[in-house]
Each structure stands twice: as structure tokens, then as C-alpha cells.
Amino acid sequence: MDRKLAISLAAGTVVSVVTLYFAFKNVPFDELVLYLGSVDYFVIFPSMAAAIVAFVFRTLRWRVILGPAKQVTFSEAFHPLMIGFMANCVYPGRIGEIARPLILRAKSGVRFTTGLATVGVERLFDLLFLLVMFGLALSEMDPGAGGRVEFAGYAIDRGMIVGAGRGMIALVVLICVSIVLLTIEKTRNALKKTVAASTRLLFFLDASRREKFAGKFVHWTSQLMENIATGFALVKSPRRIAVCLAYSALVWAFTVASYYAMMKGSPGVDLSVVEIAAVMVMICFAIALPSVPGYWGLWEAGGVFALSLFGVESKNAAGYTLVNHAVQVFPVIVVGLVSAWATGVSLKSISKHTGKKDHCIVDGDALQDAGKQI
């Protein structure tokens, strides 16, 4: 295994073990087993179906984003997307985000940096929707009759929750304004000059080291800004943005539907659609931290904490979160493996070549030869 992947896996394992401990330390094991036996597992089928439909809309959205660069078929977009998400579930370090444009390059001839930029655009659409959903859900949430929730030694009241919701909505506005500014060439040039000027603050380094670091740093930030601008240039038309927003809404609507369907078969968990959406968003934010492949640990900690805000007992929250986690992850792994088989993509090559991901922004073209070998 690549050394960096091994370090990432080790660090993620530690985080997952710690978060699993805090998530389940107050849940008696025998009660958890009894709860898992009481779940109506028939609801797994509609829950899985809704989750897969969400990935269909992800594929359609990615095709729209890729359109100006190259028209790809549904299967040409679907297989790399599912392999990428599968890689995030079975490998450490979120290497699926790099695997996807590599596979797209190998199978469809789309330039790696272009593919990487489109993945970034996708993630930003997701982030915007998650932040809006989080802000609206928390602003409407009533944390119990007492207006106060305690969990693992922390206390949260309605004022903190409403403030967090408003803050998230403000962050969405800030992100949108920043993106608009980055798509303007004059703004990017001004930022590049500012970054270059800031390297003068490294006066404590000798001249040769300062020049070497400054060159790499300026090049890295310049490429980052250009990649962001390139990605959004692909969807700069109002029509494409509207279509991407519509597909994004459908992605998250079906994801919420998947969580909600699983909840209907989970005793002791009875939330509204808005409340289950808030739980989903908090889990998404929790798994943004490093963890073992499949997000085990952080997913459970985020789910138990989120459900506690709505008065769900620890054993019920833990049972629902465990089962729902499996329902969300295992179909992705299975479909991703089928996609890898159908396209002839080697999982070993994914692990090998995406180990170079640290260079993808400053030297994205260097990975294009790797893409040919996948």
C-alpha cells in the first residue's frame, strides 16, 4: 500500500474508533442487538432504491456539467461516478474524487484537469444544497419542550441552533459571491498578484528557499483559482445552472427519501421529513472528517448526536444509524464493483495511481498518463 494511503488509513482508523466509542458508550450492547432484531428490514428495499435513483440524478447532473467540454453518454458518466464513490467506501483518503476524472480520461478522453474541475463543481452544488437544508432545518427545529438538549457533556439550546442555521445560510451567500468573483478574470489576476506579494512575508527564509517556496505556492494557488474558474465556466449559462440546480434538488430529495424510508421501519424513530433531512445533513458534515473507508465511526457519531437533538433514545438512534449506514454504503460498493468489472477498471491501479493525488492541482496533467493505464 502507498505510504500516504497507509498513514491516511491509520489516522482515519483512530478517528473512527474514538468516535464509535463516544457514539455507543452509553448504549448497552444487548439492547442494541435486540433493537437490530426489531427493525422491519423490508423497508431496506425502497430505501436502497431511492439511494440508487439519487446516483442516477448525480450522473445526469455530471453530464450537464461536462457538456461544454465533451458530450458523454450516460454509461460513460455513470460508471466512473459509481467507481469513484465505491473507492471512497473501500479506500482511505477520499481517493474516489481523483479516481473519477482519471477513469473518465481513460475511457472518454476528457482532460484530467477538466474532469477534476467538474467534480469540484458537483461538490459545490452539493455543499450549497446541504448548507441551505441545514440552515432551514435547524431554524425550524424545536429541541424538546425544555428548549435544551444535552449530549456527551455538551448543552445545546434553541438560540444556538437558530444562530447556526442563520450562519449557514450566510455562508452559502458568501460562497456564491466568492465563486462569481473567481469567474472574473480581472479578479483572479488581482488575487494572483496579492498572493505573489504575500510571499515577501517569508523574510525569515534565505533567498533561495524563499524563491523556491514562493514559486510553488504562487503556482499552486494560481492553478487552484483557474481550476475553479474553469469548472464553473462549463456551467456559466443560466440554463445549465438551472438544470444543475434541479438535478441537485432531486439528488438530495431522493437521498432524504432513502433515509426516511429506512426510518419507517426503525422502532422509536419518528421524525418529520424536515427533521430527517437535518439528521442527514449533520451526518454528511460529520463524515467530512478523516475516517476509515466507508466512514464507519464518524457516521454513527454524527447520526446518534443528530437524533438526540430530536429526543430519540440512544439505543434507537444507534440502531437506526447503523442499519441506515449499511443501506447507504453497501449498494454503492456493489454497483461500483459491477461498474469496474463492466469497464475493465483495475481496483489495484486506482489505489496505485491516486496515491499521486497530492499533485493533482499543481500538476494535473502528470496524472493523465496514469489515467491511460486504469
Side-chain angles (χ1 to χ4, degrees):
M1 180 184 292
D2 182 86
R3 181 171 177 271
K4 292 180 179 178
L5 287 178
I7 293 174
S8 175
L9 178 60
T13 300
V14 171
V15 173
S16 290
V17 169
V18 171
T19 51
L20 274 173
Y21 168 74
F22 282 108
F24 294 102
K25 70 174 184 176
N26 296 321
V27 182
F29 181 74
D30 55 343
E31 291 187 13
L32 178 60
V33 172
L34 288 174
Y35 180 85
L36 293 176
S38 69
V39 173
D40 179 6
Y41 288 97
F42 179 78
V43 300
I44 285 179
F45 298 104
S47 181
M48 284 185 175
I52 295 301
V53 171
F55 280 98
V56 171
F57 284 115
R58 282 187 180 277
T59 304
L60 294 174
R61 181 182 62 182
W62 196 28
R63 288 187 67 208
V64 173
I65 297 172
L66 282 166
K70 183 174 182 179
Q71 294 290 335
V72 297
T73 65
F74 180 86
S75 62
E76 286 176 329
F78 180 77
H79 290 314
L81 183 142
M82 293 308 303
I83 295 171
F85 275 90
M86 178 270 294
N88 282 340
C89 293
V90 300
Y91 289 113
R94 305 292 200 278
I95 67 174
E97 310 300 345
I98 307 301
R100 203 200 311 184
L102 279 175
I103 297 168
L104 188 68
R105 156 71 184 178
K107 303 302 179 182
S108 303
V110 177
R111 188 177 176 85
F112 172 79
T113 49
T114 299
L116 185 63
T118 61
V119 172
V121 172
E122 261 204 311
R123 289 308 190 196
L124 197 46
F125 273 115
D126 285 337
L127 176 60
L128 293 177
F129 265 84
L130 284 173
L131 290 176
V132 170
M133 292 168 63
F134 187 58
L136 295 176
L138 290 185
S139 296
E140 294 296 321
M141 191 176 74
D142 181 10
R148 184 181 179 86
V149 171
E150 292 188 4
F151 179 82
Y154 294 93
I156 300 177
D157 58 30
R158 181 169 180 78
M160 295 172 60
I161 293 172
V162 173
R166 291 172 178 170
M168 287 298 173
I169 293 175
L171 182 58
V172 168
V173 175
L174 179 61
I175 291 174
C176 291
V177 172
S178 299
I179 290 169
V180 171
L181 291 176
L182 280 177
T183 58
I184 301 173
E185 186 176 1
K186 289 184 178 179
T187 303
R188 293 200 305 276
N189 290 336
L191 287 173
K192 290 175 186 178
K193 291 179 180 179
T194 302
V195 170
S198 68
T199 59
R200 297 172 185 172
L201 298 175
L202 303 175
F203 58 86
F204 50 87
L205 296 178
D206 61 66
S208 60
R209 289 184 177 180
R210 183 169 63 249
E211 183 177 350
K212 183 178 180 181
F213 176 83
K216 289 185 176 181
F217 181 68
V218 171
H219 180 65
W220 183 87
T221 53
S222 296
Q223 285 294 99
L224 177 61
M225 285 186 278
E226 290 300 330
N227 278 342
I228 293 174
T230 299
F232 274 88
L234 297 178
V235 291
K236 62 182 179 181
S237 76
R239 189 188 70 83
R240 287 185 178 276
I241 292 176
V243 172
C244 287
L245 288 173
Y247 280 141
S248 297
L250 289 169
V251 165
W252 290 106
F254 276 93
T255 304
V256 171
S258 177
Y259 276 61
Y260 189 80
M262 193 64 242
M263 182 204 71
K264 299 304 286 186
S266 303
V269 184
D270 186 17
L271 306 182
S272 68
V273 174
V274 173
E275 290 169 338
I276 205 68
V279 171
M280 179 201 69
V281 174
M282 290 186 218
I283 290 175
C284 289
F285 288 165
I287 63 177
L289 296 171
S291 65
V292 296
Y295 321 110
W296 297 100
L298 285 174
W299 186 302
E300 282 65 35
V304 171
F305 173 75
L307 289 166
S308 74
L309 296 177
F310 298 101
V312 178
E313 293 183 14
S314 295
K315 71 169 184 177
N316 299 336
Y320 166 77
T321 304
L322 273 174
V323 176
N324 185 57
H325 186 179
V327 168
Q328 299 298 321
V329 169
F330 290 152
V332 173
I333 295 175
V334 172
V335 176
L337 289 173
V338 172
S339 289
W341 172 80
T343 56
V345 171
S346 166
L347 299 184
K348 182 178 179 180
S349 65
I350 291 176
S351 175
K352 175 182 177 182
H353 295 303
T354 51
K356 304 174 184 179
K357 67 177 182 173
D358 290 338
H359 308 291
C360 66
I361 294 177
V362 297
D363 192 18
D365 293 337
L367 288 179
Q368 299 207 35
D369 290 336
K372 296 176 183 178
Q373 301 175 38
I374 289 181

